[in-house]
Amino acid sequence: MLKKCGFDVQKFEGKTPGIIVPCTLHEFNSPRIVELAKQALLLYNDTNNTNFEYDCLVKANSKLVAGRIYYITFEALSSNIRATFRARVWKKIMNIGSEIQFIEKFSETFE
């Protein structure tokens, strides 16, 4: 089973290699993070035969590795269901691709 830590981290003052930190406001508004969330949602839909559509980013954390691992929390809609998803996506070094390591529907509400 995959470890799901990294989605709820506190702000940490200091620079420690390999630590998971919240994305800065500039990073948070990055189209890159939204695109990674959409890629993860596409995989979730394909795997679970669902039709969720990306709605909004809730939060994102990241860790510097050979590239960057993003821990993304976002919302998506499917008819009258609003669901919160969590995805861990590795954006590989030198932009040679990305790998969706984990995607789950964390919670859902009916509208």
Side-chain angles (χ1 to χ4, degrees):
M1 178 153 178
L2 293 170
K3 271 179 90 175
K4 298 176 191 170
C5 62
F7 293 96
D8 297 308
V9 298
Q10 300 298 317
K11 177 92 171 117
F12 177 77
E13 299 298 330
K15 296 187 184 221
T16 303
I19 192 165
I20 300 168
V21 295
C23 290
T24 65
L25 184 58
H26 174 72
E27 290 174 311
F28 185 79
N29 290 318
S30 164
R32 173 188 303 191
I33 295 176
V34 172
E35 185 56 37
L36 294 174
K38 288 179 178 180
Q39 287 176 17
L41 186 59
L42 182 62
L43 175 64
Y44 181 88
N45 282 335
D46 288 347
T47 304
N48 295 283
N49 197 26
T50 56
N51 193 29
F52 281 96
E53 293 182 18
Y54 175 85
D55 184 45
C56 64
L57 193 59
V58 175
K59 66 181 161 182
N61 302 315
S62 68
K63 175 168 77 170
L64 190 60
V65 292
R68 188 170 291 271
I69 293 179
Y70 289 95
Y71 301 84
I72 308 167
T73 304
F74 62 95
E75 292 184 349
L77 302 169
S78 179
S79 57
N80 66 336
I81 300 172
R82 174 176 292 278
T84 302
F85 288 86
R86 298 191 313 181
R88 183 175 62 215
V89 183
W90 174 28
K91 182 68 176 166
K92 297 179 182 179
I93 195 166
M94 298 175 61
N95 291 321
I96 59 170
S98 58
E99 178 182 309
I100 299 151
Q101 297 181 330
F102 171 80
I103 175 75
E104 76 169 347
K105 182 168 46 168
F106 184 63
S107 66
E108 69 180 18
T109 58
F110 295 94
E111 298 183 334

